[in-house]
């Protein structure tokens, strides 16, 4: 219940300890219209311990919190330091909180600042200088992830992947063109330029 409309979950009748989750990248982020798959396993000690989460990375690291190995670095999963409500609680935390946290905290508009210690550079010249190329690279890796998913969709989501890109593929291409123009397009009206944003020569190349 209460899942955001951009998060989908599939359960397995013969393995109630397993879940497969897919998230749709939000507009105005480097992950726009991308699909991101996670497998969750509930350990025998659940809910005293958090679920174990594996990210389908295809060997790509498009975010500081998501490793090529599939590890998801997040306080709520006890894979990163934290305190209070940031860490898993057997009485207060939930699977819904896990998936919503991954979508909101990881797939944001400026993933560069997710790197440990980099939050101190928000709105500073060095931070702004480094955040743009990081976001551009994250966008390129998101496009590569799309290609991997089209060739090797995760089991149980084959039709979902096809339908997603059948409906959103043209918008993905328009977004690519908008980045080449140095613009960002609005998700609902992908032909309209919503705001200007610099675009490096490296991204155009």
């Amino acid at each position: 219940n209460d899942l955001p409309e951009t998060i989908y979950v599939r359960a397995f009748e013969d393995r109630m300890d397993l879940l497969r989750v897919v998230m749709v990248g939000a507009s105005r982020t480097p992950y726009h219209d991308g699909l991101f798959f996670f497998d969750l396993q509930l350990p025998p000690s659940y809910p005293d311990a958090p679920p174990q989460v594996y990210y389908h990375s295809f060997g790509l690291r498009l975010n500081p919190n998501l490793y090529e190995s599939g590890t998801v670095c997040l306080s709520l999963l006890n894979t990163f330091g934290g305190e209070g409500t940031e860490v898993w609680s057997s009485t207060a935390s939930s699977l819904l909180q896990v998936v919503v946290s991954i979508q909101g905290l990881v797939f944001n508009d400026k993933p560069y600042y997710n790197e440990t210690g980099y939050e101190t550079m928000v709105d500073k010249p060095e931070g702004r200088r480094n955040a743009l190329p990081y976001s551009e690279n994250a966008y390129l890796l998101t496009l590569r992830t799309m290609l991997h998913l089209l060739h090797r969709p995760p089991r149980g989501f084959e039709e979902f992947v096809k339908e997603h890109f059948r409906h959103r593929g043209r918008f993905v291409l328009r977004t690519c063109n908008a980045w080449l123009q140095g613009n960002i397009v609005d998700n609902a009206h992908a032909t309209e330029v919503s705001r200007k944003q610099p675009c490096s020569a490296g991204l155009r190349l």
Side-chain angles (χ1 to χ4, degrees):
N1 293 330
D2 303 319
L3 273 175
E5 61 180 13
T6 52
I7 299 179
Y8 302 82
V9 180
R10 170 159 288 184
F12 299 88
E13 289 184 354
D14 56 344
R15 287 291 303 273
M16 294 299 290
D17 60 322
L18 297 180
L19 297 167
R20 178 158 283 175
V21 179
V22 59
M23 303 178 187
V24 182
S27 62
R28 302 181 188 273
T29 74
Y31 311 106
H32 186 190
D33 277 335
L35 294 179
F36 306 96
F37 281 85
F38 298 83
D39 290 336
L40 278 64
Q41 182 174 21
L42 309 184
S45 55
Y46 178 85
D48 292 326
Q52 297 172 338
V53 182
Y54 172 82
Y55 167 61
H56 291 248
S57 72
F58 300 101
L60 305 173
R61 190 173 184 191
L62 45 67
N63 187 283
N65 299 80
L66 304 175
Y67 288 77
E68 295 97 327
S69 63
T71 298
V72 179
C73 193
L74 203 66
S75 299
L76 189 59
L77 300 175
N78 294 346
T79 52
F80 188 75
E83 57 185 25
T85 57
E86 296 175 341
V87 298
W88 180 264
S89 165
S90 60
T91 56
S93 302
S94 66
L95 294 179
L96 177 63
Q97 183 184 1
V98 168
V99 296
V100 170
S101 294
I102 292 174
Q103 187 182 56
L105 298 177
V106 175
F107 295 113
N108 59 51
D109 61 339
K110 294 179 180 177
Y112 173 78
Y113 298 114
N114 284 25
E115 198 72 65
T116 304
Y118 286 12
E119 66 275 2
T120 60
M121 290 192 287
V122 174
D123 292 331
K124 293 182 179 179
E126 182 182 0
R128 287 193 292 268
R129 187 168 59 249
N130 295 331
L132 176 63
Y134 192 99
S135 290
E136 291 180 343
N137 187 59
Y139 177 64
L140 293 175
L141 294 178
T142 295
L143 295 176
R144 289 187 184 181
T145 300
M146 293 180 189
L147 294 176
H148 280 293
L149 287 170
L150 285 165
H151 289 297
R152 289 189 295 155
R155 185 178 175 184
F157 280 89
E158 294 87 351
E159 284 304 314
F160 179 92
V161 171
K162 287 181 183 178
E163 282 300 310
H164 174 78
F165 289 113
R166 188 173 290 128
H167 289 292
R168 299 303 304 174
R170 64 185 182 275
F171 296 109
V172 172
L173 293 176
R174 289 177 185 175
T175 301
C176 288
N177 288 327
W179 274 83
L180 288 173
Q181 305 292 326
N183 303 320
I184 287 294
V185 295
D186 181 77
N187 187 36
H189 306 284
T191 57
E192 297 179 12
V193 174
S194 58
R195 63 186 175 93
K196 296 286 185 180
Q197 177 164 320
C199 175
S200 72
L203 179 61
R204 290 192 180 94
L205 183 63

